[in-house]
Amino acid sequence: MRDTVIVGGGPAGLAAAYRLSRFPEQHVSLLERAPVTGGLAAGFSYGSYTLDFGPHRLHTAIDQEILTDLKDFLGDDLVLNRRQGLIRLSGKYIPFPVGPGSLLQLGLRNILKISLGLASARLPASESTNRSYESELQRRFGKPLYKMFYGPYAEKTWGLPGSQIASDQAEKRVNQRGPADLWRALLGSGTSAYYYYPKKGFGMIPGAYEKAIADDCNVQVHLHSSVEAIEWREHQILRVHCNINGESIGTDPANVVWTAPLPELINRLIPGPPAAVVQAVSSLRYRAIVLFYVVLDIPRVGQADTYYFPETRYPFNRIIEQKNFSPDMVPPDMTVLCMDIPCSAEGGVFSLSDAELLEMVMPGLEEAGLAGSEQVVEVFSRRFKYAYPIYDLSYESAIEKTMAWVKELANLWLVGRQGLFMHNNTHHSLYMGYRVADAIANDSRGSWDSELEQFAAFRVAD
Ligand SMILES: Cc1cc2nc3c(=O)[nH]c(=O)nc-3n(C[C@H](O)[C@H](O)[C@H](O)COP(=O)(O)OP(=O)(O)OC[C@H]3O[C@@H](n4cnc5c(N)ncnc54)[C@H](O)[C@@H]3O)c2cc1C
């Protein structure tokens, strides 16, 4: 048997464990620090509600082999939903995905401003010099649309002005390459109008993978468990010191798959990496998130599954009405809104009490016509420190330096959103899990660089 230790039981770690379990000579120990698997894609039960960690949908861009597995696992529980989004701009709601009617909602003045901006947009990327998220998107769409939508959205999500964010973020996040793509989107041929969703919440997806490996004697999933130290010598990890549910256990695996945050790996290596790598990793920053849940004693707010709030005057980024993803998740006479509030993990919003959060969000909820304070019967929150990797202007050289060194450890495999410091979707992490398992089982480290290049080209869907 060949042993693999997988660190982290989110979609990437679970998918890697499942795929490795298909190969008879592979043995897997998956260590998950939390009391449950699923990572950011897990859900939770609260009283009679089943809830996700903010807006989660399975995008139709998913790899077909993985979709087939998920259909096998979930059967009729996996349904295809039509997207029902609304973007709030200038005090009005615009349907999302955008269509021919969307622009008209903005009013003549805004349409004129945006059109003039689009007409002045410069097309070839090579024309632009100082490339940041801001310069890249202003080049593609002109200043007015940037100022109205992309700029404030970036500042809220990543906590930096667009001029301080790397242009990679625009590459990853904004699929439209210029005015022609934007017009095509406005005519209704952009974002997919559909998504997959499990009837009892998004958490059924990681849950299905956990179930699929539950009875396999070659796979052990350890909750409340992590890695304390990793000893390496001459380009190989030799020994991993695990903490399995409070007990220290040493093991000598053939491979280690790391899906937990990258800085946590560097801190655990013995001997430590060169100072330049330690310094590079310590410059990587993550944006935290508060997910704030508001229970209303009304049957439903509206038909939309997600409301988008790019403007900085609202403290929240998006609000979902959970039962509009699946009616099976919240009783008919009540409804639950969940809003995601990106913030710094150091103090501020991240450490506000639920009562303080309610005070902060209520004016926005009322102004947007979503809830009145008299309808609120209960509030609660969930908080994540590692929600979004921040692509600031120095991140690329820090990642390059780190990856160049980490690559030298021939039996260490970095995958997932946290392990690769890569803004991504769940289907990307599942895909990475399958690919790393195939590479380990087939002993094909030589082709791993080209897999990493493919992962880097993933586009994030909202
Ligand atoms: C608000 C929000 C909305 C999103 N919406 C969507 C969406 O609509 N569609 C979509 O496809 N994707 C969406 N995503 C992205 C999706 O959640 C991620 O792509 C996916 O969860 C990444 O999976 P992962 O396994 O790579 O990482 P994670 O989900 O972060 O899992 C990492 C795991 O590692 C564990 N861990 C961390 N440190 C350690 C340690 N030291 N030892 C052991 N275990 C450790 C964590 O507890 C966690 O379980 C959204 C993300 C956010 C934040």
Side-chain angles (χ1 to χ4, degrees), residues 355-392:
E356 288 166 326
L357 286 170
L358 181 63
E359 203 175 312
M360 181 178 89
V361 304
M362 212 54 234
L365 278 178
E366 284 179 337
E367 187 274 344
L370 298 184
S373 51
E374 72 289 350
Q375 296 166 331
V376 177
V377 288
E378 193 173 12
V379 296
F380 46 93
S381 59
R382 295 290 183 272
R383 298 160 203 241
F384 290 94
K385 280 191 178 172
Y386 297 100
Y388 298 103
I390 300 177
Y391 290 4
D392 61 21

Side-chain angles (χ1 to χ4, degrees), residues 150-169:
Y150 294 110
Y153 168 81
E155 199 155 341
K156 244 161 102 162
T157 308
W158 299 294
L160 292 174
S163 59
Q164 303 290 308
I165 297 172
S167 61
D168 284 8
Q169 193 70 73

Side-chain angles (χ1 to χ4, degrees), residues 233-280:
R233 199 174 344 119
E234 289 168 9
H235 307 296
Q236 286 285 333
I237 289 179
L238 299 178
R239 193 156 185 79
V240 176
H241 299 267
C242 307
N243 181 323
I244 304 212
N245 223 338
E247 195 184 339
S248 291
I249 293 172
T251 174
D252 308 328
N255 289 286
V256 175
V257 175
W258 186 272
T259 79
L262 188 51
E264 296 196 15
L265 165 72
I266 299 299
N267 296 336
R268 284 165 169 78
L269 288 169
I270 300 175
V277 174
V278 175
Q279 198 185 356

Side-chain angles (χ1 to χ4, degrees), residues 3 17 61 94 125 154 250 260 271 363 377 409 425 437 440:
D3 287 332
I94 299 166
V377 288
L409 296 179
N425 290 126
I440 287 173

